[in-house]
Amino acid sequence: MKEITSSQWKLNLGFSLFMLLLIVLLMQVSIQLALIFALSLALGFTLQRSRFCTASAFRDPILVGTTKLTQAFILLLAISIMGFAVVANGAEILKIPLKLNVFPLGIHTIIGGILFGIGMVLAGGCVSGVLTRIGEGFAMQMFALLGLLFGTAFGGYSSPYIRSIFGEFSGVFLPDIFGWLPSVAIQLLILLILWEVTRWWHKKQNGVG
Amino acid sequence: MAIYQIDIWGEMCPIPLIKTHRQLKKMSCGDILVLETEHSCTSRAIVLWAKENGHEIDEKEVSNGIWRLELTKRHD
């Protein structure tokens, strides 16, 4: 590993300096923009270093019986549910307006989910995975990016039409119905059940595990 | 003890994983399978899978973005 890191330290330093200067420049334009950029930089770095693959989390249990990434994904959901509760309540206390993306759901949501899943496995990665690997220089994923851009644009323009065909139920926001604490508890309980299901599945697939 | 190598160069998840799976079935205990990939997720997935299945695996990043895996089959 050492010879790899030493051969690239000049590039690393240059790139880091460039990013730092870019953030400083963005801060002159808008602090919000600079913060978003810094956050996305951190997110990208984490994604690349962890080599986390969402596609793998859903595909591997069925394909080869490994559930480690699925469990990581469940953990990720649990952390973000609790984090989101903290952020939403904190915003309320501090009187910061919060825009929630609670979308209506319908049959098209499920169909879209299945289509996305198929696309994810065919493309060899989910959206973040594709972007990460393009950054790493995996040229094959450029095709996936093209499909991604096309699909997003097409979906964006056609969604009002699709929604009107299938009809939809209004979005459900659990804290509005149960209150914050019970809804977080319910979600965590469901995740715990899913966690146990993955453990059971792993044992079933691999014999004694 | 034999050393095998399969070509998974340029292939994306999950094809390398399936190929490894199949190749391993043909091999006997103690045999070594050498794999090289430039797909970061592939390498990760194979390492995870091998470890969970009780096979021995050695992962090395031989160059930037190129991983070399040595998988030793430990059981049938």
Side-chain angles (χ1 to χ4, degrees):
Chain A
M1 281 303 250
K2 204 141 208 177
E3 62 272 19
I4 298 163
T5 39
S6 61
S7 70
Q8 284 214 321
W9 73 270
K10 277 180 190 166
L11 277 172
N12 287 343
L13 195 71
F15 188 71
S16 306
L17 213 65
F18 172 73
M19 282 297 164
L20 203 71
L21 285 174
L22 196 60
I23 290 176
V24 171
L25 183 79
L26 279 173
M27 270 159 75
Q28 313 300 315
V29 183
S30 129
I31 294 286
Q32 198 188 8
L33 216 59
L35 281 175
I36 292 172
F37 186 75
L39 193 69
S40 40
L41 209 61
L43 197 67
F45 182 77
T46 316
L47 272 170
Q48 202 271 327
R49 285 288 96 192
S50 67
R51 285 149 76 188
F52 185 76
C53 181
T54 323
S56 178
F58 293 100
R59 179 195 64 213
D60 288 355
I62 295 154
L63 202 66
V64 288
T66 50
T67 51
K68 214 156 225 140
L69 278 173
T70 321
Q71 288 180 328
F73 194 79
I74 293 172
L75 202 65
L76 183 150
L77 281 179
I79 293 168
S80 32
I81 284 167
M82 289 188 283
F84 180 71
V86 169
V87 168
N89 281 299
E92 218 166 279
I93 293 164
L94 296 171
K95 303 260 182 292
I96 300 167
L98 201 65
K99 194 174 147 273
L100 293 173
N101 286 326
V102 183
F103 289 113
L105 90 174
I107 304 161
H108 55 276
T109 318
I110 298 165
I111 298 172
I114 292 168
L115 282 177
F116 186 81
I118 293 170
M120 184 161 79
V121 172
L122 288 180
C126 60
V127 180
S128 64
V130 167
L131 290 175
T132 312
R133 275 186 286 280
I134 287 173
E136 285 178 347
F138 198 85
M140 276 278 275
Q141 299 277 29
M142 281 296 205
F143 292 104
L145 183 70
L146 275 180
L148 196 73
L149 291 176
F150 176 74
T152 316
F154 178 74
Y157 284 116
S158 66
S159 83
Y161 181 63
I162 292 171
R163 280 161 137 184
S164 70
I165 293 176
F166 286 101
E168 53 196 6
F169 311 101
S170 59
V172 182
F173 188 53
L174 287 178
D176 282 346
I177 307 168
F178 302 113
W180 273 103
L181 260 180
S183 58
V184 169
I186 290 167
Q187 290 177 83
L188 290 182
L189 190 73
I190 292 170
L191 287 178
L192 190 71
I193 293 167
L194 283 175
W195 180 279
E196 287 302 318
V197 169
T198 57
R199 278 186 58 182
W200 165 79
W201 179 256
H202 183 241
K203 264 187 193 161
K204 194 173 164 256
Q205 293 290 307
N206 299 295
V208 188
Chain B
M1 195 193 80
I3 295 174
Y4 295 88
Q5 186 155 19
I6 51 170
D7 187 21
I8 53 164
W9 202 247
E11 277 175 303
M12 278 184 293
C13 264
I15 293 156
L17 196 56
I18 299 170
K19 279 192 170 174
T20 311
H21 205 101
R22 279 193 191 151
Q23 180 63 33
L24 217 63
K25 274 185 190 158
K26 290 186 219 157
M27 293 159 48
S28 47
C29 281
D31 285 357
I32 295 172
L33 179 62
V34 178
L35 304 152
E36 273 187 349
T37 180
E38 82 278 47
H39 199 236
S40 63
C41 173
T42 295
S43 166
R44 179 89 300 181
I46 293 173
V47 168
L48 267 176
W49 171 77
K51 276 186 183 160
E52 280 198 24
N53 281 277
H55 298 294
E56 215 169 280
I57 189 142
D58 185 43
E59 183 190 38
K60 267 201 202 90
E61 192 173 1
V62 286
S63 180
N64 278 304
I66 294 170
W67 289 270
R68 185 189 161 87
L69 301 169
E70 274 186 34
L71 205 160
T72 315
K73 187 172 180 175
R74 278 284 163 246
H75 59 84
D76 282 315

